[in-house]
Amino acid sequence: MNDAVPMTQGKGLALSPGALAGLKVIDLTRVLGGPYCTMILSDHGAEVVKIEPPQGDEVRDWGPPFVEGSASYFIGVNRNKQSLALDLGKPEGREVLMRLLDGADVLIENYKPGAMEKWGMGYEDVLSKRFPQLVHCRVSGFGPDGPLGALPGYDAVIQAMVGLMSINGDPNSGPTRMGTPIVDLATGLYSAIAILMALQERTRSGQGQFLDMSLHDCGMALLHPQAANYFLNDKRPKATGNPHPNISPYSKYRTKTCEIFLAVGNDPTFRKVCKFLSLDNLPDDPRFRTNGDRLTHRDSLTEILEARLAAEDGHDLCDRLLKAGVPAGPVMHVDEAMNAPHTAHRQMVTELGSYRGLGTPIKMSRTPGGTRAAPPRFNEHGDDILARHGFTAEEVAELKTKGIVVAARRT
């Protein structure tokens, strides 16, 4: 991948240093949850040193498609970072890490709970004493203790175990994995929030702290409104497919040209959409007067709506509905969404040289974030990182000779 080059953000505005400029993050994470978290931070100016194991982050192999030996899966969540390949299985590698942590604000890792302690680098006994201002974030499957403590967790497994699969799909499909790795992504988001909370608290106390983030907890936190429904009625939530479990009409409907999604969240909006579609009698029909009525008679309402929509151009209809204040949109494929005019306007596709990716959704007026550097090649910045941390050329050469710093991925 190419090195960082100057770029512009939006309509010719120079990309700012970012809201997190000056923040130093040592990133020991692999796969998705942790790297997604650190990309959020790096998008907004944090210096992220990604330390990869000798074999590299395994998602470099999660393809095709590939470019320069790295899969799209890696490229999608690792921009704006610097790569150093370090063998932490050796004491000398851990000594290097300790030197890198000097002056760092954040350490984030997703090793099996207990691994850092086994290496003599546990937070309570070592890191909090040597680096009292350090925020140490650990991402794990289930946390360090409890019935499932320290056991491995992967996104799809957690989706299954916390109930997300059970409420996805429909009665015919049965429990279905969500198409995006939603638990990993949510864990990355929650971890970024937790890190920023800890850094904010540090401004008052002057102290860092340990953050125990688990896929299990973050996946379970996504169960809304299903968990809230269960706590209130004590009934097992069921998969409803596209229809919303609490609202109607709130689902996918067929038109002449495409499928569309209507999201009618209250009675006034229902009256508005009925007037727009010349179905003026529906709001007074006893079956459809209230949201509760519409939920009870959802199948009948769906039949009426699809009969009315059958002759409509879905794309044109959605444009008109939105302008009339009715939430509606065509069901689009990923390639269509990437090339939509509003996607371009909102800068949600970012480009730098040959790199293309999703833009940051966090829009800031004075300190906008964005793409500063393409995802790194394996150990691309190793020499520069070590030099910045006081390693001499002779020390770097010796680390390479001993296999502590790794120039090419081991198989």
Side-chain angles (χ1 to χ4, degrees), residues 51 190 209:
I51 298 179
Y190 278 121
Q209 57 183 302

Side-chain angles (χ1 to χ4, degrees), residues 50-99:
K50 180 181 178 69
I51 298 179
E52 297 190 58
Q55 296 78 20
D57 186 333
E58 56 260 50
V59 297
R60 286 185 183 272
D61 299 323
W62 286 15
F66 293 96
V67 61
E68 296 183 9
S70 290
S72 55
Y73 214 103
F74 176 88
I75 291 167
V77 292
N78 282 289
R79 66 170 171 248
N80 296 331
K81 304 176 188 179
Q82 302 170 62
S83 174
L84 165 66
L86 194 62
D87 190 345
L88 295 177
K90 298 178 180 179
E92 298 95 330
R94 299 193 288 275
E95 290 173 9
V96 172
L97 174 59
M98 294 298 277
R99 288 177 64 175

Side-chain angles (χ1 to χ4, degrees), residues 117-135:
E117 289 77 7
K118 181 180 178 182
W119 285 342
M121 304 176 70
Y123 178 77
E124 288 297 331
D125 294 336
V126 179
L127 297 182
S128 64
K129 294 178 172 58
R130 184 163 171 179
F131 310 110
Q133 292 191 318
L134 181 69
V135 172

Side-chain angles (χ1 to χ4, degrees), residues 58-233:
E58 56 260 50
V59 297
R60 286 185 183 272
D61 299 323
W62 286 15
F66 293 96
V67 61
E68 296 183 9
S70 290
S72 55
Y73 214 103
F74 176 88
I75 291 167
V77 292
N78 282 289
R79 66 170 171 248
N80 296 331
K81 304 176 188 179
Q82 302 170 62
S83 174
L84 165 66
L86 194 62
D87 190 345
L88 295 177
K90 298 178 180 179
E92 298 95 330
R94 299 193 288 275
E95 290 173 9
V96 172
L97 174 59
M98 294 298 277
R99 288 177 64 175
L100 298 180
L101 286 172
D102 189 18
D105 298 285
V106 178
L107 168 66
I108 178 168
E109 46 92 2
N110 59 354
Y111 294 121
K112 180 179 178 181
M116 294 289 284
E117 289 77 7
K118 181 180 178 182
W119 285 342
M121 304 176 70
Y123 178 77
E124 288 297 331
D125 294 336
V126 179
L127 297 182
S128 64
K129 294 178 172 58
R130 184 163 171 179
F131 310 110
Q133 292 191 318
L134 181 69
V135 172
H136 180 173
C137 178
R138 172 171 296 158
V139 177
S140 65
F142 297 97
D145 46 31
L148 300 175
L151 296 179
Y154 256 57
D155 176 276
V157 174
I158 303 298
Q159 284 194 37
M161 294 182 69
V162 302
L164 285 170
M165 281 180 59
S166 76
I167 52 99
N168 194 41
D170 58 37
N172 293 323
S173 70
T176 303
R177 182 183 69 84
M178 295 186 180
T180 61
I182 189 67
V183 174
D184 276 335
L185 296 173
T187 303
L189 287 165
Y190 278 121
S191 297
I193 294 168
I195 287 168
L196 297 177
M197 286 180 177
L199 292 171
Q200 171 63 20
E201 192 280 335
R202 191 180 70 173
T203 65
R204 299 193 299 272
S205 68
Q207 299 294 307
Q209 57 183 302
F210 182 80
L211 311 177
D212 173 17
M213 304 299 298
S214 77
L215 300 179
H216 173 273
D217 299 354
C218 294
M220 188 162 282
L222 300 177
L223 284 168
H224 185 82
Q226 286 80 11
N229 292 344
Y230 169 72
F231 292 142
L232 197 62
N233 63 21

Side-chain angles (χ1 to χ4, degrees), residues 99 383 386-387 390-402 405:
R99 288 177 64 175
D383 288 1
L386 294 173
F391 287 83
T392 66
E394 291 75 19
E395 286 179 302
V396 173
E398 184 178 2
L399 289 169
K400 290 180 179 178
T401 299
K402 291 183 176 180
V405 173

Side-chain angles (χ1 to χ4, degrees), residues 24 38 205 347 371 402:
K24 179 182 172 184
T38 55
S205 68
Q347 301 168 31
T371 302
K402 291 183 176 180

